[in-house]
Amino acid sequence: MATSCKTGSRVAVRPLSEEALEMIARRFALLGEPMRLRLLHALFDGEKSVTALVEASGGTQANVSRHLQAMAEAGLLGRRKQGLQVFYSIADPTLFQLCELVCGSLEEKLARDAKAFARAG
Amino acid sequence: MATSCKTGSRVAVRPLSEEALEMIARRFALLGEPMRLRLLHALFDGEKSVTALVEASGGTQANVSRHLQAMAEAGLLGRRKQGLQVFYSIADPTLFQLCELVCGSLEEKLARDAKAFARAG
DNA sequence: GAACTATATGAGCGAAAGGTAATATAGTGC
DNA sequence: GCACTATATTACCTTTCGCTCATATAGTTC
């Protein structure tokens, strides 16, 4: 979406098929759960086993396993099996940028809100 | 998240509070519904009234109004009232980048999958 | 103020999704 | 083969959430 040909400051937006829309939505939805973000956050400094992720996230083994599987199926995570253990890792580098964008935007918004609050009070 | 100090290719990830995590998740979750993406997509070429958005999205008035309100409360959309009509517009410029990132990532993945399929078949 | 238009809201329904407990599967070492 | 560990899966419960119908609110025009 916002699939674009930037021409100056105006952006030409092309139409999006229903399937494309659902794929995009599904990807955003995957990032829309705190537990999954916690797992991604733990993976940001490198590949980890399921057990390590269970400890890092504080979740149950079953739940963590499910979330990891969902993200792996969507292509967000990579899976590497070694003996008894399974190691997951960030497979989509845009995850870093996505999270930084949202984080930055939220920080700005919070700063603005705080300022407005101070001005009003 | 991925809140970072890039030092070479390694990224130092700092811890995230539970509140921050939920705020980030909420923002992603807002983008995780096709109907809301459809509305955003319609708004990408400029401010529109609710009625216009209802037509553009094919949704019901009640539903569209709810979604617009949710995104406005989150700071994604701006609201301008003029007479009987209410005009909504993109308030967070990072939305363009977010959608472009996801779109690009999905296109790449689809291309890879197609290639793998051809190779396998 | 009455009729009309544009938007918002309340109540209720049904589907989707996260969480958990218990169990299954796969791999290791003895 | 048996005990053990790491991960995945099944069944179930509960909550969340999107959707719709009906109605309320706000603003305009006459």
Side-chain angles (χ1 to χ4, degrees):
Chain A
M1 102 175 307
T3 53
S4 56
C5 299
K6 304 198 188 69
T7 49
S9 71
R10 249 293 161 259
V11 173
V13 181
R14 42 173 151 118
L16 278 177
S17 74
E18 188 57 27
E19 291 100 357
L21 226 53
E22 279 172 17
M23 291 183 67
I24 299 169
R26 164 143 191 77
R27 169 145 302 197
F28 278 125
L30 276 173
L31 302 177
E33 293 292 324
M35 176 55 97
R36 282 197 286 266
L37 290 181
R38 220 171 292 138
L39 293 170
L40 287 175
H41 188 251
L43 286 170
F44 275 160
D45 50 279
E47 178 184 69
K48 282 194 174 61
S49 73
V50 176
T51 300
L53 288 166
V54 168
E55 287 171 9
S57 67
T60 64
Q61 185 269 323
N63 200 25
V64 168
S65 178
R66 285 179 107 71
H67 285 307
L68 292 172
Q69 188 184 338
M71 292 191 283
E73 275 176 10
L76 299 183
L77 300 185
R79 228 183 91 109
R80 183 174 68 87
K81 199 165 185 174
Q82 177 186 344
L84 265 178
Q85 304 184 7
V86 175
F87 291 88
Y88 286 90
S89 57
I90 305 280
D92 188 328
T94 64
L95 285 177
F96 295 99
Q97 308 169 53
L98 278 177
C99 290
E100 279 188 34
L101 264 179
V102 169
C103 246
S105 165
L106 280 174
E107 277 172 9
E108 270 186 32
K109 174 171 162 46
L110 289 176
R112 271 199 311 276
D113 289 355
K115 226 173 201 168
F117 177 77
R119 210 179 295 123
Chain B
M1 108 175 301
T3 54
S4 56
C5 299
K6 303 196 187 69
T7 49
S9 71
R10 250 292 161 259
V11 174
V13 181
R14 44 172 150 116
L16 278 176
S17 73
E18 187 57 27
E19 291 100 358
L21 227 52
E22 281 173 15
M23 291 183 67
I24 300 169
R26 164 143 191 76
R27 169 147 302 196
F28 278 125
L30 277 174
L31 302 177
E33 293 294 323
M35 176 55 97
R36 282 196 286 266
L37 290 181
R38 220 171 291 138
L39 293 170
L40 288 175
H41 188 251
L43 287 171
F44 274 161
D45 50 280
E47 178 185 69
K48 282 194 175 61
S49 72
V50 177
T51 300
L53 288 167
V54 167
E55 288 171 9
S57 68
T60 64
Q61 185 268 321
N63 201 25
V64 168
S65 177
R66 289 191 121 78
H67 284 307
L68 292 172
Q69 188 183 337
M71 292 191 284
E73 274 176 10
L76 298 183
L77 300 185
R79 227 184 91 110
R80 183 174 68 87
K81 199 165 186 176
Q82 176 187 346
L84 264 178
Q85 303 184 5
V86 174
F87 291 89
Y88 284 90
S89 56
I90 305 280
D92 189 328
T94 64
L95 285 177
F96 295 98
Q97 308 169 53
L98 278 177
C99 291
E100 279 189 35
L101 264 179
V102 169
C103 249
S105 165
L106 280 174
E107 278 173 10
E108 270 187 33
K109 173 171 164 47
L110 289 175
R112 272 198 311 275
D113 290 354
K115 225 173 204 168
F117 178 75
R119 210 179 294 125

